[in-house]
Amino acid sequence: MQTTNPFQTILDELGEVKDLLYSLKKEPEIELKKKLYSIKECSEILKLDYQTVRSHILKGNIKAEQIGRFYRVKHFDLMDALSEVKSLKYRR
């Protein structure tokens, strides 16, 4: 005689819900990998002047891709540069 757990269906459904929540949690991170910012958007996020952000890009302090005449900065590169640029802002 085979004994079955009366809660097995509930446990199976909880596992499916857990997998669904995990995939929903990861979805914004995947979308942010594709997000690109212009220099103007970067200057608003970093609260710096447009020319300051542009000079940091040209110096290599902020990683950016040049597409035509325009520079585009990936989301994670901008977040990595956020602390570095803020410290450079106040360095004399």
Side-chain angles (χ1 to χ4, degrees), residues 38-39 50 64-72:
S38 66
I39 295 178
Y50 176 89
E65 297 176 13
Q66 188 172 5
I67 302 172
R69 329 177 313 172
F70 304 104
Y71 287 96
R72 297 290 181 245

Side-chain angles (χ1 to χ4, degrees), residues 57-75:
I57 288 172
L58 294 175
K59 288 178 187 175
N61 295 334
I62 300 174
K63 293 181 189 175
E65 297 176 13
Q66 188 172 5
I67 302 172
R69 329 177 313 172
F70 304 104
Y71 287 96
R72 297 290 181 245
V73 180
K74 292 181 181 178
H75 176 78

Side-chain angles (χ1 to χ4, degrees), residues 8 11 14 17 46 48 87:
Q8 189 59 42
L11 291 174
L14 281 175
V17 170
L46 296 173
L48 296 172
S87 67

Side-chain angles (χ1 to χ4, degrees), residues 5-40:
N5 186 352
F7 299 107
Q8 189 59 42
T9 56
I10 295 172
L11 291 174
D12 292 340
E13 289 180 13
L14 281 175
E16 292 175 19
V17 170
K18 184 178 177 182
D19 292 339
L20 183 63
L21 286 174
Y22 182 74
S23 67
L24 288 174
K25 181 181 175 186
K26 286 292 183 181
E27 194 171 295
E29 185 176 310
I30 293 169
E31 192 171 305
L32 287 176
K33 285 183 180 178
K34 298 177 185 177
K35 178 94 173 128
L36 296 173
Y37 296 105
S38 66
I39 295 178
K40 184 177 181 181

Side-chain angles (χ1 to χ4, degrees), residues 41-92:
E41 292 170 329
C42 291
S43 66
E44 291 170 2
I45 292 170
L46 296 173
K47 295 182 177 73
L48 296 172
D49 187 56
Y50 176 89
Q51 288 296 330
T52 306
V53 174
R54 188 172 183 278
S55 69
H56 281 296
I57 288 172
L58 294 175
K59 288 178 187 175
N61 295 334
I62 300 174
K63 293 181 189 175
E65 297 176 13
Q66 188 172 5
I67 302 172
R69 329 177 313 172
F70 304 104
Y71 287 96
R72 297 290 181 245
V73 180
K74 292 181 181 178
H75 176 78
F76 289 112
D77 291 338
L78 181 64
M79 293 303 124
D80 290 341
L82 182 63
S83 61
E84 184 179 328
V85 169
K86 288 293 185 181
S87 67
L88 287 174
K89 181 179 178 182
Y90 298 109
R91 189 185 306 168
R92 297 273 178 204

